[in-house]
Amino acid sequence: DFTHIAYIGGPPNVFVVNPALGVRSLNELVALGRRGQPIDYVSPGVGTLGHLLAEFFAQKAGIKVQQIMTKGASQAMMELISGNVNVGTMTWTSALSQIRAGKVIPIAVTSGARLAEFPDLPTFKDLGYPELTAVSWFALSGPAGLPSEITERLNAAVASMLDLPDVRRRLERDAVEPRAM
């Protein structure tokens, strides 16, 4: 029931751990999971990309995980940095300030390529999980049946905005790769 006008872009998801867990890589997390106990994790909520990625990863890696329910990314991050839960999966933008502050450790990112600011952070693809390449996405949509001349004019305006150097810098800072639709 929508007319899709423009795709803007979106951040990848990242798996992060509390430093107290003692895990510094995805392989170490898998080894921990194979010891038998399910790994508790937080995500922004049921049905979010973070939730789906964690469950899909667990299937692929042959480990068991248990989602701890939270009400959004902020609460999930608070549970993670407080040590109530030691693993989280959320958007890069939700985790970035805590990664920079050293409160959480990123162990894998769902982007198609490594991030410029964190070149040592592997992608899931690098680690043998190519099907875990995914980003959350932001788009502009209108009501169904929007006239094509309005759709095209709005799409062109968004494309022009995404080409502005300041806008590109801001999006790149948050690992959002803008794309034209």
Side-chain angles (χ1 to χ4, degrees):
D1 292 340
F2 296 98
T3 299
H4 299 293
I5 298 167
Y7 174 74
I8 297 168
N13 271 243
V14 61
F15 278 32
V16 290
V17 296
N18 184 297
L21 184 61
V23 166
R24 300 288 183 262
S25 72
L26 191 68
N27 288 336
E28 289 176 7
L29 183 67
V30 170
L32 180 67
R34 289 188 177 154
R35 291 187 192 139
Q37 291 291 344
I39 295 174
D40 289 345
Y41 76 93
V42 289
S43 74
V46 174
T48 62
L49 184 56
H51 171 222
L52 299 175
L53 288 167
E55 296 295 331
F56 188 65
F57 168 71
Q59 281 183 336
K60 291 293 184 183
I63 62 174
K64 293 184 185 211
V65 295
Q66 174 64 46
Q67 183 180 27
I68 304 302
M69 304 307 289
T70 61
K71 294 179 182 176
S74 296
Q75 185 185 9
M77 185 54 76
M78 290 306 298
E79 292 294 320
L80 186 59
I81 62 176
S82 70
N84 291 333
V85 179
N86 287 312
V87 179
T89 171
M90 55 205 59
T91 64
W92 183 255
T93 50
S94 296
L96 186 55
S97 64
Q98 300 303 327
I99 292 169
R100 286 183 177 145
K103 302 277 185 178
V104 296
I105 299 168
I107 58 172
V109 66
T110 65
S111 55
R114 290 186 184 219
L115 305 177
E117 184 180 350
F118 292 84
D120 295 333
L121 175 61
T123 67
F124 278 93
K125 185 178 176 182
D126 291 337
L127 297 169
Y129 301 93
E131 57 279 303
L132 285 167
T133 301
V135 297
S136 297
W137 55 274
F138 306 119
L140 181 62
S141 298
L146 194 64
S148 62
E149 58 274 1
I150 293 173
T151 302
E152 291 168 11
R153 195 167 81 218
L154 289 170
N155 180 281
V158 170
S160 293
M161 178 215 40
L162 292 174
D163 280 339
L164 296 173
D166 188 48
V167 171
R168 278 206 173 270
R169 275 192 302 279
R170 288 174 187 230
L171 292 173
E172 287 169 1
R173 181 183 64 216
D174 290 333
V176 174
E177 184 179 321
R179 293 188 188 141
M181 181 174 95

